[in-house]
Tab-separated table of all heavy atoms in Angstrom:
chain	number	residue	atom	x	y	z
A	1	MET	N	0.850	-1.192	0.000
A	1	MET	CA	0.000	0.000	0.000
A	1	MET	C	0.889	1.246	0.000
A	1	MET	O	1.852	1.340	0.747
A	1	MET	CB	-0.889	-0.022	1.249
A	1	MET	CG	-2.014	0.976	1.199
A	1	MET	SD	-3.172	0.689	2.563
A	1	MET	CE	-4.347	1.993	2.251
A	2	SER	N	0.594	2.170	-0.845
A	2	SER	CA	1.408	3.371	-0.948
A	2	SER	C	1.076	4.335	0.190
A	2	SER	O	0.149	4.122	0.954
A	2	SER	CB	1.158	4.055	-2.290
A	2	SER	OG	-0.064	4.753	-2.261
A	3	ASN	N	1.840	5.410	0.272
A	3	ASN	CA	1.601	6.431	1.289
A	3	ASN	C	0.784	7.594	0.744
A	3	ASN	O	0.661	8.619	1.395
A	3	ASN	CB	2.938	6.968	1.808
A	3	ASN	CG	3.715	5.895	2.554
A	3	ASN	OD1	3.148	4.930	3.048
A	3	ASN	ND2	5.016	6.059	2.616
A	4	ASP	N	0.214	7.420	-0.458
A	4	ASP	CA	-0.519	8.519	-1.082
A	4	ASP	C	-1.849	8.783	-0.385
A	4	ASP	O	-2.606	7.854	-0.093
A	4	ASP	CB	-0.797	8.202	-2.555
A	4	ASP	CG	0.478	8.155	-3.384
A	4	ASP	OD1	1.545	8.508	-2.851
A	4	ASP	OD2	0.385	7.754	-4.559
A	5	CYS	N	-2.128	10.058	-0.177
A	5	CYS	CA	-3.410	10.464	0.377
A	5	CYS	C	-4.532	10.061	-0.583
A	5	CYS	O	-4.430	10.285	-1.793
A	5	CYS	CB	-3.408	11.981	0.577
A	5	CYS	SG	-4.987	12.681	1.070
A	6	THR	N	-5.597	9.457	-0.043
A	6	THR	CA	-6.725	9.029	-0.869
A	6	THR	C	-7.375	10.218	-1.566
A	6	THR	O	-7.888	10.098	-2.674
A	6	THR	CB	-7.768	8.311	0.011
A	6	THR	OG1	-7.144	7.191	0.624
A	6	THR	CG2	-8.967	7.844	-0.802
A	7	TYR	N	-7.309	11.382	-0.930
A	7	TYR	CA	-7.968	12.557	-1.504
A	7	TYR	C	-7.064	13.339	-2.458
A	7	TYR	O	-7.419	13.585	-3.605
A	7	TYR	CB	-8.469	13.476	-0.390
A	7	TYR	CG	-9.128	14.728	-0.934
A	7	TYR	CD1	-10.334	14.653	-1.612
A	7	TYR	CD2	-8.519	15.971	-0.773
A	7	TYR	CE1	-10.934	15.785	-2.139
A	7	TYR	CE2	-9.110	17.111	-1.287
A	7	TYR	CZ	-10.321	17.024	-1.967
A	7	TYR	OH	-10.890	18.147	-2.481
A	8	CYS	N	-5.872	13.732	-1.989
A	8	CYS	CA	-5.067	14.665	-2.786
A	8	CYS	C	-3.798	14.040	-3.364
A	8	CYS	O	-3.137	14.657	-4.195
A	8	CYS	CB	-4.709	15.900	-1.956
A	8	CYS	SG	-3.431	15.600	-0.727
A	9	GLY	N	-3.444	12.837	-2.937
A	9	GLY	CA	-2.297	12.156	-3.518
A	9	GLY	C	-0.954	12.489	-2.894
A	9	GLY	O	0.064	11.940	-3.299
A	10	SER	N	-0.920	13.382	-1.904
A	10	SER	CA	0.336	13.696	-1.226
A	10	SER	C	0.753	12.534	-0.322
A	10	SER	O	-0.060	11.671	0.011
A	10	SER	CB	0.174	14.943	-0.355
A	10	SER	OG	-0.107	16.076	-1.149
A	11	ASP	N	2.021	12.527	0.068
A	11	ASP	CA	2.499	11.538	1.031
A	11	ASP	C	1.922	11.878	2.399
A	11	ASP	O	2.222	12.937	2.955
A	11	ASP	CB	4.030	11.578	1.075
A	11	ASP	CG	4.609	10.460	1.943
A	11	ASP	OD1	3.916	10.001	2.873
A	11	ASP	OD2	5.761	10.071	1.679
A	12	VAL	N	1.084	10.996	2.939
A	12	VAL	CA	0.401	11.316	4.199
A	12	VAL	C	1.372	11.498	5.356
A	12	VAL	O	1.084	12.233	6.299
A	12	VAL	CB	-0.643	10.243	4.579
A	12	VAL	CG1	-1.750	10.172	3.538
A	12	VAL	CG2	-0.016	8.883	4.774
A	13	TYR	N	2.550	10.854	5.279
A	13	TYR	CA	3.500	10.955	6.382
A	13	TYR	C	4.236	12.292	6.403
A	13	TYR	O	5.009	12.559	7.310
A	13	TYR	CB	4.470	9.774	6.349
A	13	TYR	CG	3.766	8.480	6.682
A	13	TYR	CD1	3.431	7.576	5.687
A	13	TYR	CD2	3.404	8.197	8.001
A	13	TYR	CE1	2.760	6.394	5.993
A	13	TYR	CE2	2.736	7.025	8.312
A	13	TYR	CZ	2.424	6.131	7.304
A	13	TYR	OH	1.752	4.975	7.599
A	14	ASP	N	4.000	13.139	5.391
A	14	ASP	CA	4.514	14.502	5.426
A	14	ASP	C	3.616	15.400	6.268
A	14	ASP	O	3.931	16.564	6.501
A	14	ASP	CB	4.595	15.083	4.008
A	14	ASP	CG	5.753	14.483	3.226
A	14	ASP	OD1	6.641	13.878	3.849
A	14	ASP	OD2	5.754	14.623	1.992
A	15	HIS	N	2.466	14.874	6.707
A	15	HIS	CA	1.481	15.691	7.417
A	15	HIS	C	1.112	14.995	8.735
A	15	HIS	O	1.985	14.409	9.364
A	15	HIS	CB	0.256	15.912	6.521
A	15	HIS	CG	0.632	16.454	5.171
A	15	HIS	ND1	0.849	17.793	4.928
A	15	HIS	CD2	0.888	15.826	3.991
A	15	HIS	CE1	1.200	17.971	3.667
A	15	HIS	NE2	1.231	16.794	3.063
A	16	ASP	N	-0.158	15.049	9.112
A	16	ASP	CA	-0.634	14.383	10.334
A	16	ASP	C	-1.642	13.318	9.912
A	16	ASP	O	-2.845	13.555	9.942
A	16	ASP	CB	-1.308	15.394	11.274
A	16	ASP	CG	-0.345	16.486	11.705
A	16	ASP	OD1	0.774	16.137	12.119
A	16	ASP	OD2	-0.713	17.666	11.614
A	17	PRO	N	-1.155	12.156	9.507
A	17	PRO	CA	-2.015	11.196	8.829
A	17	PRO	C	-3.196	10.692	9.655
A	17	PRO	O	-3.099	10.520	10.870
A	17	PRO	CB	-1.075	10.039	8.466
A	17	PRO	CG	0.159	10.248	9.229
A	17	PRO	CD	0.232	11.684	9.625
A	18	VAL	N	-4.301	10.464	8.951
A	18	VAL	CA	-5.520	9.895	9.526
A	18	VAL	C	-5.872	8.682	8.674
A	18	VAL	O	-5.874	8.766	7.446
A	18	VAL	CB	-6.685	10.917	9.467
A	18	VAL	CG1	-7.969	10.293	10.003
A	18	VAL	CG2	-6.341	12.178	10.243
A	19	PHE	N	-6.161	7.554	9.332
A	19	PHE	CA	-6.475	6.328	8.602
A	19	PHE	C	-7.908	5.902	8.895
A	19	PHE	O	-8.360	5.956	10.025
A	19	PHE	CB	-5.509	5.208	8.997
A	19	PHE	CG	-4.074	5.565	8.711
A	19	PHE	CD1	-3.301	6.197	9.672
A	19	PHE	CD2	-3.518	5.309	7.470
A	19	PHE	CE1	-1.984	6.550	9.406
A	19	PHE	CE2	-2.202	5.655	7.193
A	19	PHE	CZ	-1.434	6.275	8.163
A	20	VAL	N	-8.599	5.445	7.849
A	20	VAL	CA	-9.992	5.039	7.976
A	20	VAL	C	-10.111	3.554	7.631
A	20	VAL	O	-9.507	3.082	6.671
A	20	VAL	CB	-10.880	5.870	7.022
A	20	VAL	CG1	-12.331	5.406	7.093
A	20	VAL	CG2	-10.776	7.348	7.348
A	21	GLU	N	-10.892	2.841	8.452
A	21	GLU	CA	-11.180	1.442	8.156
A	21	GLU	C	-12.681	1.251	8.136
A	21	GLU	O	-13.423	1.945	8.821
A	21	GLU	CB	-10.577	0.525	9.240
A	21	GLU	CG	-9.066	0.493	9.242
A	21	GLU	CD	-8.521	-0.455	10.308
A	21	GLU	OE1	-9.143	-0.562	11.374
A	21	GLU	OE2	-7.474	-1.067	10.052
A	22	GLU	N	-13.130	0.265	7.336
A	22	GLU	CA	-14.547	-0.076	7.291
A	22	GLU	C	-14.716	-1.495	7.817
A	22	GLU	O	-13.918	-2.380	7.520
A	22	GLU	CB	-15.067	0.011	5.850
A	22	GLU	CG	-15.151	1.431	5.335
A	22	GLU	CD	-15.689	1.502	3.910
A	22	GLU	OE1	-15.799	0.437	3.276
A	22	GLU	OE2	-15.981	2.608	3.454
A	23	GLY	N	-15.767	-1.693	8.598
A	23	GLY	CA	-16.049	-3.022	9.122
A	23	GLY	C	-16.727	-3.880	8.068
A	23	GLY	O	-17.647	-3.437	7.385
A	24	THR	N	-16.246	-5.107	7.915
A	24	THR	CA	-16.887	-6.081	7.031
A	24	THR	C	-17.087	-7.346	7.861
A	24	THR	O	-16.199	-8.171	7.962
A	24	THR	CB	-16.015	-6.390	5.803
A	24	THR	OG1	-14.733	-6.820	6.246
A	24	THR	CG2	-15.837	-5.150	4.932
A	25	GLY	N	-18.271	-7.465	8.464
A	25	GLY	CA	-18.467	-8.570	9.391
A	25	GLY	C	-17.581	-8.369	10.603
A	25	GLY	O	-17.622	-7.323	11.228
A	26	ASP	N	-16.759	-9.354	10.929
A	26	ASP	CA	-15.869	-9.257	12.086
A	26	ASP	C	-14.528	-8.649	11.713
A	26	ASP	O	-13.682	-8.429	12.574
A	26	ASP	CB	-15.633	-10.645	12.692
A	26	ASP	CG	-16.884	-11.190	13.356
A	26	ASP	OD1	-17.742	-10.371	13.742
A	26	ASP	OD2	-16.995	-12.418	13.475
A	27	ASP	N	-14.308	-8.403	10.430
A	27	ASP	CA	-13.022	-7.884	9.968
A	27	ASP	C	-13.094	-6.398	9.704
A	27	ASP	O	-14.170	-5.813	9.638
A	27	ASP	CB	-12.585	-8.594	8.682
A	27	ASP	CG	-12.297	-10.062	8.926
A	27	ASP	OD1	-11.779	-10.379	10.011
A	27	ASP	OD2	-12.612	-10.869	8.034
A	28	ARG	N	-11.919	-5.807	9.557
A	28	ARG	CA	-11.827	-4.404	9.159
A	28	ARG	C	-10.928	-4.305	7.944
A	28	ARG	O	-9.901	-4.962	7.867
A	28	ARG	CB	-11.246	-3.554	10.293
A	28	ARG	CG	-12.153	-3.505	11.507
A	28	ARG	CD	-11.666	-2.503	12.500
A	28	ARG	NE	-10.338	-2.846	13.015
A	28	ARG	CZ	-9.702	-2.122	13.942
A	28	ARG	NH1	-10.260	-1.048	14.414
A	28	ARG	NH2	-8.508	-2.483	14.352
A	29	GLU	N	-11.346	-3.464	7.003
A	29	GLU	CA	-10.543	-3.272	5.803
A	29	GLU	C	-10.208	-1.798	5.653
A	29	GLU	O	-11.053	-0.935	5.910
A	29	GLU	CB	-11.314	-3.735	4.562
A	29	GLU	CG	-11.507	-5.231	4.499
A	29	GLU	CD	-12.065	-5.676	3.165
A	29	GLU	OE1	-12.464	-4.794	2.373
A	29	GLU	OE2	-12.098	-6.886	2.929
A	30	PRO	N	-8.991	-1.481	5.209
A	30	PRO	CA	-8.620	-0.079	4.986
A	30	PRO	C	-9.570	0.574	3.994
A	30	PRO	O	-9.889	-0.015	2.956
A	30	PRO	CB	-7.206	-0.172	4.412
A	30	PRO	CG	-6.705	-1.520	4.815
A	30	PRO	CD	-7.913	-2.418	4.890
A	31	ALA	N	-10.052	1.772	4.333
A	31	ALA	CA	-10.973	2.479	3.448
A	31	ALA	C	-10.376	3.792	2.959
A	31	ALA	O	-10.988	4.480	2.156
A	31	ALA	CB	-12.289	2.745	4.168
A	32	GLY	N	-9.172	4.113	3.413
A	32	GLY	CA	-8.562	5.351	2.952
A	32	GLY	C	-7.538	5.851	3.935
A	32	GLY	O	-7.528	5.456	5.100
A	33	GLN	N	-6.656	6.706	3.442
A	33	GLN	CA	-5.664	7.361	4.300
A	33	GLN	C	-5.538	8.796	3.821
A	33	GLN	O	-5.613	9.070	2.624
A	33	GLN	CB	-4.329	6.629	4.227
A	33	GLN	CG	-3.781	6.456	2.826
A	33	GLN	CD	-2.560	5.556	2.820
A	33	GLN	OE1	-2.219	4.914	3.817
A	33	GLN	NE2	-1.874	5.509	1.682
A	34	PHE	N	-5.381	9.684	4.789
A	34	PHE	CA	-5.470	11.107	4.481
A	34	PHE	C	-4.378	11.885	5.201
A	34	PHE	O	-3.927	11.481	6.271
A	34	PHE	CB	-6.857	11.624	4.894
A	34	PHE	CG	-7.970	10.846	4.231
A	34	PHE	CD1	-8.493	9.718	4.827
A	34	PHE	CD2	-8.447	11.232	2.995
A	34	PHE	CE1	-9.495	8.973	4.203
A	34	PHE	CE2	-9.449	10.504	2.367
A	34	PHE	CZ	-9.973	9.370	2.966
A	35	CYS	N	-3.983	13.031	4.611
A	35	CYS	CA	-2.945	13.881	5.211
A	35	CYS	C	-3.346	14.333	6.605
A	35	CYS	O	-2.515	14.424	7.504
A	35	CYS	CB	-2.739	15.137	4.368
A	35	CYS	SG	-2.298	14.825	2.661
A	36	ASN	N	-4.620	14.644	6.766
A	36	ASN	CA	-5.147	15.186	8.007
A	36	ASN	C	-6.676	15.182	7.894
A	36	ASN	O	-7.224	14.709	6.896
A	36	ASN	CB	-4.619	16.609	8.249
A	36	ASN	CG	-4.772	17.469	7.011
A	36	ASN	OD1	-5.809	17.424	6.356
A	36	ASN	ND2	-3.759	18.240	6.670
A	37	TYR	N	-7.336	15.708	8.901
A	37	TYR	CA	-8.799	15.684	8.890
A	37	TYR	C	-9.382	16.556	7.781
A	37	TYR	O	-10.499	16.328	7.327
A	37	TYR	CB	-9.359	16.101	10.255
A	37	TYR	CG	-9.249	14.994	11.278
A	37	TYR	CD1	-8.274	15.044	12.267
A	37	TYR	CD2	-10.097	13.897	11.226
A	37	TYR	CE1	-8.153	14.015	13.191
A	37	TYR	CE2	-9.990	12.869	12.135
A	37	TYR	CZ	-9.017	12.930	13.126
A	37	TYR	OH	-8.886	11.915	14.033
A	38	ALA	N	-8.638	17.554	7.328
A	38	ALA	CA	-9.137	18.404	6.238
A	38	ALA	C	-9.306	17.587	4.961
A	38	ALA	O	-10.319	17.703	4.267
A	38	ALA	CB	-8.181	19.567	6.006
A	39	CYS	N	-8.308	16.760	4.633
A	39	CYS	CA	-8.421	15.919	3.446
A	39	CYS	C	-9.524	14.874	3.624
A	39	CYS	O	-10.259	14.571	2.692
A	39	CYS	CB	-7.095	15.233	3.130
A	39	CYS	SG	-5.935	16.289	2.226
A	40	LEU	N	-9.629	14.327	4.819
A	40	LEU	CA	-10.701	13.361	5.076
A	40	LEU	C	-12.062	14.014	4.890
A	40	LEU	O	-12.945	13.465	4.215
A	40	LEU	CB	-10.571	12.810	6.502
A	40	LEU	CG	-11.724	11.941	6.998
A	40	LEU	CD1	-11.948	10.741	6.091
A	40	LEU	CD2	-11.460	11.485	8.428
A	41	SER	N	-12.230	15.208	5.440
A	41	SER	CA	-13.498	15.917	5.335
A	41	SER	C	-13.830	16.246	3.884
A	41	SER	O	-14.964	16.078	3.432
A	41	SER	CB	-13.436	17.199	6.166
A	41	SER	OG	-14.628	17.934	6.038
A	42	ALA	N	-12.823	16.699	3.127
A	42	ALA	CA	-13.043	17.036	1.714
A	42	ALA	C	-13.430	15.785	0.928
A	42	ALA	O	-14.303	15.830	0.058
A	42	ALA	CB	-11.780	17.657	1.129
A	43	HIS	N	-12.783	14.667	1.238
A	43	HIS	CA	-13.096	13.404	0.566
A	43	HIS	C	-14.544	12.993	0.851
A	43	HIS	O	-15.280	12.590	-0.045
A	43	HIS	CB	-12.132	12.317	1.044
A	43	HIS	CG	-12.451	10.951	0.524
A	43	HIS	ND1	-12.281	10.593	-0.795
A	43	HIS	CD2	-12.947	9.847	1.141
A	43	HIS	CE1	-12.651	9.322	-0.951
A	43	HIS	NE2	-13.045	8.856	0.199
A	44	ILE	N	-14.948	13.118	2.109
A	44	ILE	CA	-16.317	12.769	2.502
A	44	ILE	C	-17.314	13.638	1.748
A	44	ILE	O	-18.312	13.147	1.214
A	44	ILE	CB	-16.498	12.929	4.030
A	44	ILE	CG1	-15.722	11.829	4.757
A	44	ILE	CG2	-17.976	12.881	4.398
A	44	ILE	CD1	-15.622	12.034	6.261
A	45	ASP	N	-17.032	14.945	1.656
A	45	ASP	CA	-17.922	15.852	0.935
A	45	ASP	C	-17.997	15.478	-0.544
A	45	ASP	O	-19.074	15.405	-1.132
A	45	ASP	CB	-17.432	17.292	1.072
A	45	ASP	CG	-17.686	17.850	2.468
A	45	ASP	OD1	-18.458	17.234	3.222
A	45	ASP	OD2	-17.113	18.904	2.780
A	46	ASP	N	-16.839	15.249	-1.163
A	46	ASP	CA	-16.798	14.947	-2.593
A	46	ASP	C	-17.550	13.662	-2.921
A	46	ASP	O	-18.219	13.564	-3.947
A	46	ASP	CB	-15.345	14.804	-3.064
A	46	ASP	CG	-14.703	16.142	-3.363
A	46	ASP	OD1	-15.310	17.175	-3.038
A	46	ASP	OD2	-13.584	16.145	-3.929
A	47	GLU	N	-17.408	12.670	-2.047
A	47	GLU	CA	-18.011	11.365	-2.325
A	47	GLU	C	-19.438	11.263	-1.797
A	47	GLU	O	-20.114	10.269	-2.048
A	47	GLU	CB	-17.162	10.252	-1.691
A	47	GLU	CG	-15.719	10.199	-2.199
A	47	GLU	CD	-15.627	9.802	-3.663
A	47	GLU	OE1	-16.404	8.924	-4.078
A	47	GLU	OE2	-14.808	10.389	-4.391
A	48	GLY	N	-19.895	12.282	-1.049
A	48	GLY	CA	-21.245	12.245	-0.495
A	48	GLY	C	-21.445	11.087	0.478
A	48	GLY	O	-22.512	10.496	0.534
A	49	LEU	N	-20.390	10.781	1.241
A	49	LEU	CA	-20.420	9.582	2.086
A	49	LEU	C	-21.375	9.689	3.264
A	49	LEU	O	-21.739	8.676	3.850
A	49	LEU	CB	-19.004	9.279	2.601
A	49	LEU	CG	-17.968	8.966	1.528
A	49	LEU	CD1	-16.612	8.697	2.156
A	49	LEU	CD2	-18.407	7.760	0.706
A	50	VAL	N	-21.758	10.893	3.645
A	50	VAL	CA	-22.603	11.029	4.823
A	50	VAL	C	-24.074	11.198	4.481
A	50	VAL	O	-24.913	11.214	5.371
A	50	VAL	CB	-22.157	12.215	5.714
A	50	VAL	CG1	-20.748	11.981	6.229
A	50	VAL	CG2	-22.237	13.516	4.970
A	51	THR	N	-24.396	11.308	3.206
A	51	THR	CA	-25.783	11.527	2.811
A	51	THR	C	-26.666	10.378	3.285
A	51	THR	O	-26.464	9.238	2.899
A	51	THR	CB	-25.889	11.657	1.275
A	51	THR	OG1	-25.042	12.711	0.850
A	51	THR	CG2	-27.315	11.954	0.868
A	52	GLY	N	-27.628	10.720	4.135
A	52	GLY	CA	-28.582	9.710	4.602
A	52	GLY	C	-27.972	8.644	5.485
A	52	GLY	O	-28.587	7.605	5.702
A	53	ALA	N	-26.766	8.891	6.008
A	53	ALA	CA	-26.070	7.841	6.736
A	53	ALA	C	-25.933	8.119	8.227
A	53	ALA	O	-25.182	7.451	8.897
A	53	ALA	CB	-24.678	7.643	6.125
A	54	ARG	N	-26.671	9.096	8.739
A	54	ARG	CA	-26.551	9.377	10.167
A	54	ARG	C	-27.074	8.207	10.985
A	54	ARG	O	-28.108	7.637	10.668
A	54	ARG	CB	-27.386	10.610	10.522
A	54	ARG	CG	-26.526	11.798	10.772
A	54	ARG	CD	-27.245	12.959	11.350
A	54	ARG	NE	-28.638	13.102	10.964
A	54	ARG	CZ	-29.355	14.152	11.285
A	54	ARG	NH1	-28.813	15.120	11.955
A	54	ARG	NH2	-30.610	14.233	10.922
A	55	CYS	N	-26.355	7.849	12.045
A	55	CYS	CA	-26.755	6.695	12.845
A	55	CYS	C	-27.744	7.115	13.918
A	55	CYS	O	-28.401	6.284	14.517
A	55	CYS	CB	-25.547	6.014	13.472
A	55	CYS	SG	-24.645	7.032	14.638
A	56	GLN	N	-27.845	8.422	14.165
A	56	GLN	CA	-28.756	8.885	15.202
A	56	GLN	C	-29.421	10.166	14.716
A	56	GLN	O	-28.754	11.123	14.328
A	56	GLN	CB	-27.978	9.147	16.500
A	56	GLN	CG	-28.855	9.529	17.650
A	56	GLN	CD	-28.052	9.664	18.939
A	56	GLN	OE1	-26.874	9.368	18.970
A	56	GLN	NE2	-28.688	10.135	19.999
A	57	VAL	N	-30.748	10.194	14.721
A	57	VAL	CA	-31.462	11.335	14.161
A	57	VAL	C	-31.761	12.379	15.219
A	57	VAL	O	-31.573	13.556	15.001
A	57	VAL	CB	-32.788	10.854	13.511
A	57	VAL	CG1	-33.578	12.068	13.033
A	57	VAL	CG2	-32.481	9.923	12.346
A	58	ASP	N	-32.204	11.952	16.390
A	58	ASP	CA	-32.592	12.884	17.437
A	58	ASP	C	-31.421	13.234	18.332
A	58	ASP	O	-30.710	12.343	18.799
A	58	ASP	CB	-33.702	12.278	18.294
A	58	ASP	CG	-34.930	12.018	17.462
A	58	ASP	OD1	-35.258	12.852	16.595
A	58	ASP	OD2	-35.563	10.970	17.665
A	59	LEU	N	-31.219	14.519	18.560
A	59	LEU	CA	-30.128	14.926	19.449
A	59	LEU	C	-30.697	15.633	20.669
A	59	LEU	O	-31.772	16.149	20.644
A	59	LEU	CB	-29.165	15.859	18.712
A	59	LEU	CG	-28.382	15.190	17.584
A	59	LEU	CD1	-27.555	16.247	16.839
A	59	LEU	CD2	-27.459	14.118	18.118
B	101	ZN	ZN1	-4.287	14.921	1.355
């Protein structure tokens, strides 16, 4: 696996890397790596990953 940011392609270890995993049954699989939370947030916005995906509606 390379060190490229999933969002911008920079080397994540040049920044403050954040790693994301997705659960698949009892296992976890890498879902992305990012320079920092800004790249993660931008990736989420671009991909529309949060649309309709809130786990809790009432606050
Ligand atoms: Zn990045």
Side-chain angles (χ1 to χ4, degrees):
M1 193 170 180
S2 77
N3 294 337
D4 293 352
C5 173
T6 301
Y7 179 68
C8 75
S10 296
D11 186 333
V12 297
Y13 291 103
D14 286 344
H15 307 277
D16 299 312
V18 177
F19 301 90
V20 177
E21 292 181 326
E22 290 181 349
T24 55
D26 291 336
D27 294 324
R28 295 189 298 182
E29 291 189 350
Q33 55 188 10
F34 304 89
C35 303
N36 48 43
Y37 283 104
C39 278
L40 172 58
S41 177
H43 174 70
I44 289 170
D45 287 346
D46 277 10
E47 300 293 321
L49 298 179
V50 298
T51 303
R54 254 190 329 187
C55 63
Q56 184 175 354
V57 175
D58 298 321
L59 293 175

